[in-house]
Amino acid sequence: MALMLCLGVVTATGTASAEPLYDKARGTAPLLETTKPPVLGNPINDDVRRTRNYAQQPPVIPHRIDGYQVDKNFNKCMDCHSRTKAEVSQAIPVSITHYQDRDGNTLAQISTRRYFCVQCHVGQDNATPFVRNTFQDVDSLLLKALQNPANASKKP
Ligand code: HEC
Ligand code: HEC
């Protein structure tokens, strides 16, 4: 905290003319004050699976998850997303990585490393992103490389 305060002082004096740096999610409220985040109004619930931006991305959740119990007694997500429930629920069963422990052993039950699903998978909301994102996926990079005349002689 002390370090953050020091850094705050440096940026405040260092960039006097430019727009002061602040966290877009909490606004200009001072560090020691608590802000009231806006309520997420209307989670996306269209059941349309989204493209993953890269192969290792945890897919985002295309359905509502409010009220789903995930604690030491019960995992509501696995009530639909486990291997054996897929036929009834028509949910995509969790992949093999979700059954592996940190030593690479494949377990019979969901691994504790993957128990709390929303650590990695998130529901979506029709909100404007706070921060501009210039990420390009590998397909668009390949396409750009192919369109570059310098690479014309190379085969894809
Ligand atoms: C009632 C059954 C059910 C429950 C409970 C459920 N899901 Fe799903 N889930 C589905 C179905 C069915 C789909 C396929 C798309 C759709 O219909 O929404 C899906 C899709 C997904 C996907 C997208 C997978 C992909 O490859 O794009 C993720 C991620 C996901 N669910 C995570 C969760 C998490 C995390 C929870 C618990 C918080 C959860 N689900 C609870 C039925 C369920
Ligand atoms: C530590 C992060 C992490 C946690 C926790 C986690 N997942 Fe995943 N999940 C991933 C990643 C990364 C992928 C994509 C690569 C893969 O399959 O491992 C994925 C893939 C999936 C898929 C798509 C599987 C497929 O074959 O297309 C579903 C469905 C899913 N997870 C559901 C869940 C559910 C339900 C839970 C909770 C029981 C959960 N995940 C917990 C990271 C996580």
Side-chain angles (χ1 to χ4, degrees):
M1 180 59 86
L3 179 66
M4 284 164 79
L5 287 174
C6 292
L7 288 175
V9 171
V10 171
T11 40
T13 50
T15 58
S17 55
E19 194 197 346
L21 194 66
Y22 65 89
D23 182 334
K24 288 271 174 28
R26 46 177 286 125
T28 50
L31 264 187
L32 297 178
E33 275 171 28
T34 307
T35 58
K36 196 164 183 271
V39 184
L40 292 180
N42 197 11
I44 287 174
N45 196 28
D46 59 15
D47 295 332
V48 177
R49 294 171 69 189
R50 302 304 199 275
T51 306
R52 299 180 203 183
N53 295 310
Y54 49 95
Q56 303 89 336
Q57 184 199 313
V60 298
I61 309 174
H63 58 69
R64 298 186 73 131
I65 55 163
D66 30 319
Y68 285 168
Q69 180 184 352
V70 178
D71 58 21
K72 71 179 169 61
N73 300 318
F74 188 63
N75 187 317
K76 180 64 188 168
C77 311
M78 289 302 280
D79 205 23
C80 290
H81 283 280
S82 69
R83 181 179 60 85
T84 47
K85 298 285 174 64
E87 187 168 345
V88 175
S89 66
Q90 287 298 301
I92 307 96
V94 297
S95 57
I96 186 73
T97 55
H98 294 58
Y99 293 96
Q100 283 163 348
D101 67 12
R102 64 179 172 188
D103 300 318
N105 303 312
T106 302
L107 314 172
Q109 285 184 317
I110 188 90
S111 167
T112 45
R113 297 199 305 166
R114 296 280 165 115
Y115 190 83
F116 294 104
C117 319
V118 294
Q119 266 179 282
C120 304
H121 299 280
V122 282
Q124 300 296 293
D125 201 280
N126 268 328
T128 322
F130 285 124
V131 181
R132 204 164 63 91
N133 187 344
T134 56
F135 177 82
Q136 298 180 30
D137 78 356
V138 71
D139 284 352
S140 41
L141 291 179
L142 284 177
L143 193 66
K144 267 195 188 156
L146 282 176
Q147 285 165 346
N148 184 347
N151 295 330
S153 58
K154 291 188 197 151
K155 294 253 153 58

